[in-house]
Structure formats: C-alpha cells, structure tokens
Amino acid sequence: MPRGKVIKRSIDEQINMLEEDIRTAQNKLTKLQAKLKDLQKQKREEDMADLYSLVKESGLSLDEVRQALAATPAREREAAAQVADIA
C-alpha cells in the first residue's frame, strides 16, 4: 500500500523551514516568559497586600514588626511560615 508522496526538499529549503520553526518557537517562548513575569508580579503584589493586612491586624508598628523578625532566627521563621501554610 502506498504511503503517500515523498517530497524531496533541498538542503536550503530544509534550513529555511527549520529557521522559521525556530523563530516561531522563540516568539512563543518570549510571550510565555512575559506572561510568567506578569504572573510573578501579580503574586508578589498579592503577597505584599496579605503581609500588609497581617501587620495592620496585629496592631504592631512597622518598627515592632522589624524587631520581631530580626530577633527570630531564619529557621524558626521558615517553620512558622510552613505551619501557617498548612493552617
């Protein structure tokens, strides 16, 4: 049973086709990277808004929050963040 017509392309045609495929893929990658950057920015802004709300709800001043964070070792902060994520 015939499998269809085989089209022979010159090396130059193959190169041109591959270059076009690469350009298309690069354009898609650029768009995806821009979308990722935008989503990361949105996430950062949401996190900052959440943090601001927590600080306001705590009734502490910004200096008091800084002092509390500076006095807490990093490992304890990480553990507390993990517990907060679970809750």
Side-chain angles (χ1 to χ4, degrees):
M1 181 181 293
R3 295 186 178 210
K5 189 174 182 180
V6 176
I7 300 173
K8 289 256 185 178
R9 292 188 166 84
S10 72
I11 298 292
D12 286 335
E13 289 174 320
Q14 292 178 49
I15 289 171
N16 289 335
M17 290 174 62
L18 282 175
E19 287 174 341
E20 181 59 33
D21 288 347
I22 290 169
R23 276 191 295 277
T24 300
Q26 285 174 333
N27 288 338
K28 184 173 182 177
L29 177 61
T30 300
K31 289 177 184 177
L32 290 172
Q33 287 172 327
K35 185 175 181 178
L36 175 62
K37 189 174 181 178
D38 184 52
L39 288 172
Q40 289 171 331
K41 180 181 176 185
Q42 288 178 28
K43 174 69 172 141
R44 193 170 39 255
E45 289 171 357
E46 287 177 6
D47 289 347
M48 293 302 291
D50 288 345
L51 183 59
Y52 180 78
S53 294
L54 288 172
V55 170
K56 285 297 180 186
E57 289 172 12
S58 75
L60 298 172
S61 71
L62 186 55
D63 287 335
E64 290 170 325
V65 172
R66 279 189 189 126
Q67 288 173 356
L69 290 174
T72 306
R75 269 191 244 148
E76 289 179 26
R77 285 195 304 267
E78 289 173 14
Q82 290 174 351
V83 170
D85 286 342
I86 293 172

